[in-house]
């Protein structure tokens, strides 16, 4: 998707953002510039996320070092890089690792601003946070976490910085609200997502107890680290989950930066444990090695195409094997057409529903003909290959979607089905011609 949009000419990209995906507009413009300079390549696509994740790890280490010492900072940075969510989005050509890095360094700037109360440091904090919000607007939720660590004497300055960031973000919010149907595919937050967040909250609280609660006299900086770590981990994710009760909006990647708070807490906990006796230190080292070993299968799996929810390359390969030149192709879920954004070869067969392509229509997936015309196109075909989302995924319920499904059910029979990551491909033919 990033390649498909960011590789468009600037006028085409600008017009497209007026219709869809404005929330990612700044990221697409950044990638457009990189593609112009270095070429449209997978390495160019993914390298910014790798560098951003590395920068975020450095920022986490700097916060830990500043508030709890060198060993706590080193432990926090190390924990951050081994977290599965960080590893996943460090290799994807999307904006989430970049947002995470910007929020982390904005957090570091806030820590310094609280200490020094200098205009330049506050300006740096505001600029970093605003940039993060413009790359993805849910970064604004970090403000609620940051507010927890600001002392009363500096609250007016912090509020001014927050107002500047919110006012700067407002135009993007107004545009993206007009494009809110783009998140219509999101399902309600699942019980296992709440359960996972609750479990990790327990881990965070255990880390707090080890880091400071079990000690008699934690320093002011250590208490500040706890407030910051808990706030950053709990508040953005918690707020987004609460919002999701009214309208499905929650995806863990939208608040990826929250794991920086968990890494800070775990880093401080490791630091405190390593200060104890030799036997305790040895036990911690062994436990850490076991934990890292347990994460190895996950880390390896995250580096395979099977780990992606939408393996469009695999979908394209199966379509080229299945579809004959005179077959029709129907995308029962419009999102499945996104495979063409990742492929430069002509699509096999004929996309029966297409009216105009993505470029011509300044859209993401192109536009479709009227339901009556689609029905007429389908009825002159002997074979149709239908591409759908897997079971359990929200499907579109529009007149067009119903026309596709009803025509297949009334005039064709299923001859075979194949499933690839994120898609189901079914071959239909006229009755008796399978």
């Amino acid at each position: 998707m990033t390649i498909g949009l960011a590789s468009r000419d600037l006028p085409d990209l600008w017009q497209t953002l007026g219709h869809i995906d404005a929330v990612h507009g700044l990221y697409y413009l950044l990638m457009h510039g990189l593609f112009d300079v270095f070429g449209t390549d997978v390495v160019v696509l993914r390298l910014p996320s790798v560098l951003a994740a590395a920068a975020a790890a450095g920022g986490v280490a700097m916060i830990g070092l500043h508030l709890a010492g060198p060993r706590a900072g080193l432990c926090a940075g190390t924990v951050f890089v081994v977290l599965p969510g960080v590893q996943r989005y460090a290799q994807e050509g999307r904006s989430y690792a970049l947002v995470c890095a910007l929020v982390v360094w904005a957090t570091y700037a806030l820590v310094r601003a609280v200490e020094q109360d200098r205009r330049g440091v506050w300006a740096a904090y505001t600029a970093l946070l605003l940039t993060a919000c413009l790359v993805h607007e849910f970064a604004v939720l970090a403000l609620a976490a940051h507010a927890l660590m600001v002392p009363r004497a500096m609250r007016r300055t912090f509020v001014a910085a927050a107002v500047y960031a919110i006012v700067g973000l407002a135009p993007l919010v107004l545009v993206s609200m007009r494009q809110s149907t783009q998140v219509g595919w999101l399902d309600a937050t699942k019980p296992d997502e709440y359960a996972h967040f609750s479990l990790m909250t327990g881990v965070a609280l255990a880390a707090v107890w080890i880091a400071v609660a079990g000690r008699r006299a934690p320093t002011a900086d250590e208490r500040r680290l706890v407030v910051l770590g808990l706030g950053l981990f709990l508040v953005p994710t918690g707020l987004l989950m609460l919002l999701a009760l009214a309208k499905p909006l929650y995806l863990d990647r939208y608040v990826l930066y929250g794991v920086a708070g968990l890494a800070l807490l775990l880093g401080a906990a490791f630091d405190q444990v390593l200060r104890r006796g030799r036997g305790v230190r040895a036990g911690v080292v062994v436990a850490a090695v076991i934990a890292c070993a347990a994460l190895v299968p996950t880390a390896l799996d995250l580096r395979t195409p099977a780990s992606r929810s939408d393996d469009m390359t695999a979908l394209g390969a199966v379509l080229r094997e299945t579809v004959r030149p005179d077959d029709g192709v129907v995308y029962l879920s419009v999102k499945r057409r996104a495979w063409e954004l990742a492929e430069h070869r002509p699509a096999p067969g004929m996309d029966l529903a297409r009216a105009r392509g993505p470029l011509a229509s300044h859209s993401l997936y192109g536009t479709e003909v009227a339901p009556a015309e689609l029905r007429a196109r389908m009825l002159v075909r002997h074979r149709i290959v239908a591409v759908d989302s897997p079971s359990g995924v929200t499907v579109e319920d529009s007149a067009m979607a119903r026309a596709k499904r009803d025509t297949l059910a009334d005039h064709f029979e299923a001859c075979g089905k194949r499933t690839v990551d994120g898609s189901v491909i079914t071959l239909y033919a006229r009755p008796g011609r399978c």
Side-chain angles (χ1 to χ4, degrees):
M1 185 180 297
T2 299
I3 288 181
L5 286 176
S7 59
R8 297 182 183 184
D9 292 336
L10 274 179
D12 289 329
L13 176 57
W14 188 255
Q15 290 190 56
T16 301
L17 294 176
H19 297 95
I20 52 98
D21 246 12
V23 67
H24 297 296
L26 185 58
Y27 178 72
Y28 291 144
L29 290 171
L30 168 65
M31 296 308 300
H32 177 88
L34 292 177
F35 289 157
D36 270 357
V37 174
F38 300 106
T40 305
D41 182 83
V42 173
V43 174
V44 179
L45 173 68
R46 295 186 176 183
L47 188 58
S49 292
V50 175
L51 297 176
V60 170
M62 287 296 293
I63 296 170
L65 181 153
H66 201 73
L67 294 178
R71 186 165 50 194
L74 178 62
C75 290
T78 303
V79 168
F80 180 82
V81 298
V82 301
L83 291 173
V86 175
Q87 293 199 30
R88 175 178 181 180
Y89 294 107
Q91 58 178 308
E92 294 208 352
R94 301 298 287 168
S95 64
Y96 307 109
L98 179 58
V99 174
C100 183
L102 288 165
V103 171
V104 166
W105 281 99
T107 304
Y108 176 71
L110 179 64
V111 169
R112 301 305 300 268
V114 166
E115 290 180 349
Q116 301 175 5
D117 197 18
R118 290 168 49 191
R119 182 176 299 177
V121 183
W122 281 108
Y125 167 72
T126 306
L128 285 166
L129 189 66
L130 175 58
T131 304
C133 293
L134 293 175
V135 177
H136 196 283
E137 58 192 28
F138 282 151
V140 75
L141 297 174
L143 279 171
H146 290 164
L148 298 176
M149 68 160 290
V150 178
R152 182 175 300 176
M154 298 182 188
R155 286 179 185 171
R156 181 173 296 180
T157 306
F158 173 77
V159 169
V163 168
Y164 282 126
I166 292 170
V167 169
L169 177 63
L172 176 61
V173 172
L174 294 175
V175 173
S176 63
M177 286 177 66
R178 297 201 300 267
Q179 301 174 2
S180 60
T181 53
Q182 278 190 261
V183 293
W185 61 273
L186 286 175
D187 294 317
T189 306
K190 298 178 177 61
D192 62 331
E193 291 175 310
Y194 286 111
H196 179 264
F197 182 57
S198 299
L199 175 63
M200 298 312 295
T201 298
V203 172
L205 293 174
V208 169
W209 188 88
I210 294 171
V212 296
R215 298 169 55 208
R216 291 184 179 179
T219 67
D221 278 346
E222 288 170 339
R223 290 195 296 269
R224 192 178 300 156
L225 183 144
V226 167
V227 171
L228 180 60
L230 277 178
L232 202 56
F233 178 63
L234 297 178
V235 174
T237 301
L239 287 175
L240 197 55
M241 283 186 162
L242 286 175
L243 290 172
L245 296 175
K247 177 179 174 60
L249 287 173
Y250 175 76
L251 284 176
D252 59 352
R253 60 179 180 256
Y254 291 169
V255 284
L256 175 64
Y257 54 86
V259 299
L262 178 63
L264 286 170
L265 297 174
L266 289 172
F270 280 129
D271 176 52
Q272 288 302 318
V273 172
L274 290 172
R275 293 184 184 185
R276 297 176 184 176
R278 182 177 299 176
V280 175
R281 289 199 298 269
V284 171
V285 171
V286 171
V289 170
I290 293 173
C292 289
L295 288 173
V296 168
T298 301
L300 294 175
D301 180 66
L302 286 171
R303 286 157 176 79
T304 65
S307 68
R308 303 300 186 266
S309 59
D310 295 304
D311 188 351
M312 293 303 173
T313 302
L315 172 59
V318 173
L319 284 177
R320 283 190 294 273
E321 293 174 8
T322 306
V323 181
R324 300 173 182 173
D326 57 346
D327 287 345
V329 178
V330 172
Y331 295 95
L332 298 178
S333 172
V334 177
K335 285 190 67 182
R336 299 307 96 205
R337 192 181 281 133
W339 83 273
E340 298 178 21
L341 299 176
E343 295 283 338
H344 298 290
R345 296 187 231 178
M350 176 184 178
D351 183 352
L352 298 180
R354 172 173 290 185
R356 292 191 299 166
L359 278 174
S361 61
H362 302 297
S363 65
L364 190 58
Y365 307 120
T367 57
E368 296 189 324
V369 299
E373 183 175 349
L374 169 65
R375 179 182 171 85
R377 290 183 181 185
M378 293 175 69
L379 291 177
V380 299
R381 298 284 170 170
H382 298 295
R383 294 194 351 152
I384 291 177
V385 176
V387 186
D388 201 1
S389 296
S391 60
V393 176
T394 301
V395 297
E396 294 127 32
D397 185 22
S398 62
M400 191 64 169
R402 290 191 293 272
K404 295 173 185 177
R405 298 178 191 278
D406 291 347
T407 304
L408 287 172
D410 294 343
H411 300 281
F412 295 84
E413 62 182 12
C415 302
K417 180 182 293 187
R418 292 183 65 177
T419 300
V420 298
D421 293 318
S423 301
V424 178
I425 302 169
T426 306
L427 173 62
Y428 288 88
R430 290 290 192 173
R433 303 191 65 171
C434 283

